[in-house]
Amino acid sequence: MRRNKWLALLVLFSVAVAILTGCVEEEPTWTSFEGAANEKTFPVPKEASKTDRASSNSDMDYVRYALPALKESDSLPAAYLEEIAAWGWTEEPNLSTSNQKVFQKNKHMVHLSVHDGSFTVLVPKDGKAAAKSKSVDLN
């Protein structure tokens, strides 16, 4: 009888651990990338899932990606910034802030806006939109 009680507790504990393990947010690996939906030459992690896209805006084309472990208060991982640079993009530090980075490649600009659990890739449709985009709020 006592042996069955311990076996039942062990099974219950194992089930609880399995459930909790499945609910924990996994950190992105930042090792596998694909082109963004709105700018194929700009990398986004393959682990990110596209949640929203708006191309009807006259100034910006944006795509929002869900990435649950991402935090607005944290800086982007060095591995991701290195990948962006490897794809030929350079950061424009005078246009960037802590949670919005601006990158340029040739004459194209991309704004990467970081939020808790998601990020947004914004592509200005013309030169004027690049200056205006700092005031775009997608929340």
Side-chain angles (χ1 to χ4, degrees):
M1 176 94 169
R2 188 170 188 195
R3 183 175 161 183
N4 289 339
K5 192 178 200 180
W6 279 106
L7 184 59
L9 285 173
L10 181 62
V11 169
L12 183 62
F13 179 74
S14 299
V15 169
V17 168
I19 290 171
L20 290 175
T21 302
C23 295
V24 174
E25 290 180 1
E26 279 190 40
E27 287 291 321
T29 61
W30 304 104
T31 58
S32 183
F33 301 89
E34 61 188 5
N38 55 346
E39 178 59 62
K40 297 295 182 195
T41 65
F42 190 83
V44 295
K46 283 188 177 181
E47 297 160 301
S49 57
K50 185 171 69 166
T51 61
D52 188 21
R53 179 167 189 180
S55 56
S56 60
N57 184 319
S58 62
D59 292 334
M60 301 290 266
D61 181 9
Y62 77 85
V63 179
R64 185 178 303 224
Y65 291 90
L67 199 58
L70 196 60
K71 300 292 179 218
E72 186 174 342
S73 59
D74 296 342
S75 60
L76 288 171
Y80 187 32
L81 294 172
E82 289 168 7
E83 188 69 21
I84 292 169
W87 284 43
W89 293 89
T90 55
E91 184 177 353
E92 297 294 321
N94 56 330
L95 298 175
S96 296
T97 64
S98 60
N99 67 334
Q100 184 177 30
K101 303 292 183 192
V102 179
F103 298 93
Q104 185 168 1
K105 180 179 182 178
N106 301 324
K107 297 205 182 258
H108 298 283
M109 291 192 92
V110 168
H111 299 251
L112 182 64
S113 181
V114 180
H115 313 282
D116 288 338
S118 69
F119 65 93
T120 306
V121 178
L122 301 104
V123 179
K125 291 187 177 178
D126 61 23
K128 293 178 198 170
K132 290 188 218 174
S133 67
K134 297 226 19 118
S135 63
V136 174
D137 185 16
L138 300 172
N139 287 335

